Amino acid sequence: MENNQDKIDSAKQIVANFLIEGSVGDIKPFGSGHINDTYRVYNNEPDKTDYLLQRVNHNIFKDVPGLINNIAYVTTHIKNKLREVPGADLDKQVLTLIPAKGDLFYHQDVDGNYWRLYLFLKDTKGYDVVKTEQQAAEGGKAFGAFQTMLADVEVSKLIEVIPNFHNIIFRLKNFESALNADVAGRAKNVGLEIAFVNARIDVMSEIDRLGKLGKLPVRVTHNDTKFNNVLLDADDKAQCVIDLDTIMPGYTAFDFGDAVRTIINMAAEDEADVEKIQLNMPLFKAFAEAFLAQTAHYMTVTEIRSLVQGVLLLPYMIGVRFLTDYLSGDVYFKIKYPEHNLVRARAQFQLVRKLEENYDEIYSIVLRSVNDNKEVDSLKA
Ligand code: ADP
Ligand code: GN1
Ligand code: MG
């Protein structure tokens, strides 16, 4: 197996295939994502930009060229929108893919791995846990603006990067198969979690039902709006939405729900002490108001109501996915210790419990946030 130094040496060779400015200095592993391998590429020339190199996980993303096309399409679209905004910085406020030699936005190495390079966004921060209302509001502004800038994209322009990614029926089927197969001999440890999942199948299927009835608009959604996927600048102002791998057609409730999952929770996504999983309503309110200020005016009434259902669904769904991976022997998410996926699942299910207890308040915060933007009488029904 390659050690870190070997990995860095091969990363240097990889960067040589991209059209960069300046010359490559140090390369260091970077960030805390669960899926891809990420490196910061330092430029030897002080006045030239650094880069972010990523090996895209092609076990998970089966059509990497299609995925890169999605990203190229979306980032070009956003850059065009930003051109009309006075003072906008197109290199800072949206990701910039660097072309590889041969006119593609990726490089495939001899082992079949896919690599891409972005401009590095320096002096930015991503937060795993949100601390201030300003941060939460900036997240709402960033994800809201992102969605709004993409509202006029024809969804058929994008491929479905991972089919059924946010389809809870599909996720529950996978869970059941993993449970029955029990390849890691772990089913015996998860009796309580199985009961938790089964008790909520009906209510958690509501978005799927509405979607199948054609009652939810299909939009271009990000699908991985955890808070650390928006970078804030040195003053904690929203700068750039990142991690665009899962951009594809979806429902707005997915993006709202996944962001709230990581904003309202005072503890980390994988907190082992479930007592620490508490809701921070002011952070939720700050996020919801900022998100809805950007988006409510074009959303339908059913769609706005579905946002609150998404707040329950997203932590439930990722909990089911963590639990499925635990039962499958940890084949999908990167883990730091053997029980990590189980701990993650338990933390997410605890969050669902807290959200259920506070459902009415969450609902009314959403209604009040919409109030400024739209006639909401019909929402109260
Ligand atoms: P993953 O899908 O594995 O989560 P991400 O695309 O979110 O990967 O990025 C991994 C890490 O790199 C994160 O810590 C993120 O904050 C950081 N990051 C991503 N894109 C950039 C960028 N263009 N400039 C600076 N940091 C970035
Ligand atoms: C993964 O890549 P990353 O770490 O941002 C996952 C998301 C989960 C998230 C949970 C492609 O996101 O769906 O919500 O972990 N991405 C994929 O932290 O499965
Ligand atoms: Mg990420």
Side-chain angles (χ1 to χ4, degrees):
M1 195 191 239
E2 267 189 334
N3 66 27
N4 246 1
Q5 192 49 51
D6 290 342
K7 274 192 184 171
I8 288 163
D9 290 343
S10 31
K12 279 198 177 171
Q13 314 246 320
I14 298 296
V15 180
N17 293 284
F18 288 85
L19 300 172
I20 63 162
E21 290 186 2
S23 61
V24 176
D26 212 357
I27 299 192
K28 288 189 181 154
F30 192 78
S32 60
H34 298 345
I35 307 289
N36 298 319
D37 295 331
T38 301
Y39 303 86
R40 178 172 179 169
V41 180
Y42 291 82
N43 209 315
N44 265 333
E45 295 181 29
D47 57 331
K48 296 281 188 317
T49 175
D50 290 349
Y51 295 94
L52 188 98
L53 175 69
Q54 286 184 313
R55 182 173 68 152
V56 183
N57 185 327
H58 66 271
N59 289 324
I60 288 178
F61 298 108
K62 305 290 184 203
D63 177 5
V64 179
L67 172 156
I68 301 276
N69 274 341
N70 276 7
I71 297 178
Y73 190 89
V74 161
T75 52
T76 303
H77 189 86
I78 293 178
K79 281 182 199 285
N80 287 335
K81 292 267 149 129
L82 288 175
R83 276 196 187 94
E84 290 157 24
V85 178
D89 187 330
L90 274 62
D91 286 344
K92 287 187 172 173
Q93 289 171 244
V94 56
L95 287 174
T96 305
L97 279 168
I98 306 299
K101 294 170 185 168
D103 220 19
L104 296 169
F105 282 118
Y106 64 86
H107 167 73
Q108 191 171 24
D109 69 20
V110 286
D111 299 320
N113 293 305
Y114 292 90
W115 298 83
R116 70 169 166 235
L117 200 66
Y118 286 121
L119 284 184
F120 187 85
L121 299 168
K122 68 173 173 21
D123 303 324
T124 60
K125 291 171 286 185
Y127 292 95
D128 291 336
V129 177
V130 182
K131 296 288 178 209
T132 70
E133 287 170 47
Q134 183 191 331
Q135 292 165 357
E138 289 295 315
K141 205 162 120 187
F143 285 132
F146 185 82
Q147 182 116 144
T148 303
M149 286 190 282
L150 296 174
D152 59 343
V153 169
E154 180 62 52
V155 291
S156 62
K157 298 277 184 210
L158 303 183
I159 63 153
E160 197 177 357
V161 187
I162 300 180
N164 293 311
F165 189 62
H166 277 152
N167 177 345
I168 189 59
I169 311 298
F170 170 79
R171 296 297 182 186
L172 287 165
K173 264 195 205 127
N174 287 351
F175 170 60
E176 206 182 315
S177 309
L179 193 56
N180 292 334
D182 195 19
V183 291
R186 290 168 160 179
K188 60 183 183 312
N189 306 337
V190 300
L192 290 176
E193 287 71 27
I194 296 169
F196 179 94
V197 171
N198 288 338
R200 288 158 175 81
I201 292 176
D202 192 45
V203 65
M204 296 294 181
S205 303
E206 183 58 16
I207 288 186
D208 183 71
R209 270 196 294 274
L210 287 170
K212 285 191 178 122
L213 291 169
K215 293 192 174 167
L216 290 178
V218 177
R219 303 192 186 276
V220 174
T221 47
H222 180 289
N223 296 299
D224 192 4
T225 49
K226 59 179 175 181
F227 192 78
N228 66 16
N229 282 332
V230 52
L231 296 182
L232 305 187
D233 69 14
D235 299 321
D236 264 355
K237 296 276 182 208
Q239 182 173 321
C240 185
V241 170
I242 59 163
D243 205 346
L244 306 180
D245 293 331
T246 48
I247 287 199
M248 60 184 139
Y251 305 131
T252 303
F254 298 154
D255 284 1
F256 188 79
D258 205 31
V260 172
R261 175 177 83 78
T262 50
I263 290 168
I264 202 169
N265 185 356
M266 293 172 77
E269 178 182 68
D270 59 352
E271 175 58 59
D273 178 359
V274 290
E275 295 301 313
K276 292 193 180 142
I277 296 170
Q278 304 287 343
L279 304 190
N280 185 326
M281 283 298 178
L283 295 186
F284 169 65
K285 184 166 175 283
F287 170 79
E289 281 172 356
F291 183 88
L292 286 159
Q294 309 268 340
T295 56
H297 64 98
Y298 61 80
M299 274 199 267
T300 69
V301 164
T302 310
E303 195 177 16
I304 290 171
R305 270 205 218 104
S306 77
L307 299 183
V308 188
Q309 293 159 335
V311 168
L312 290 185
L313 175 62
L314 271 288
Y316 174 81
M317 180 147 36
I318 191 64
V320 169
R321 292 175 59 201
F322 286 144
L323 194 56
T324 303
D325 200 32
Y326 174 71
L327 291 168
S328 310
D330 309 312
V331 291
Y332 187 97
F333 297 102
K334 290 182 184 173
I335 52 162
K336 295 195 175 127
Y337 55 93
E339 304 287 287
H340 201 168
N341 273 316
L342 178 59
V343 167
R344 286 169 171 153
R346 287 184 173 149
Q348 293 301 301
F349 291 160
Q350 179 66 8
L351 178 60
V352 172
R353 284 189 198 94
K354 293 280 167 192
L355 293 164
E356 287 169 345
E357 285 164 24
N358 291 276
Y359 188 84
D360 290 347
E361 194 184 344
I362 290 169
Y363 195 82
S364 70
I365 288 173
V366 168
L367 288 197
R368 271 183 268 129
S369 308
V370 171
N371 214 351
D372 293 341
N373 304 287
K374 199 178 184 111
E375 184 50 62
V376 285
D377 283 352
S378 46
L379 284 167
K380 289 178 188 141

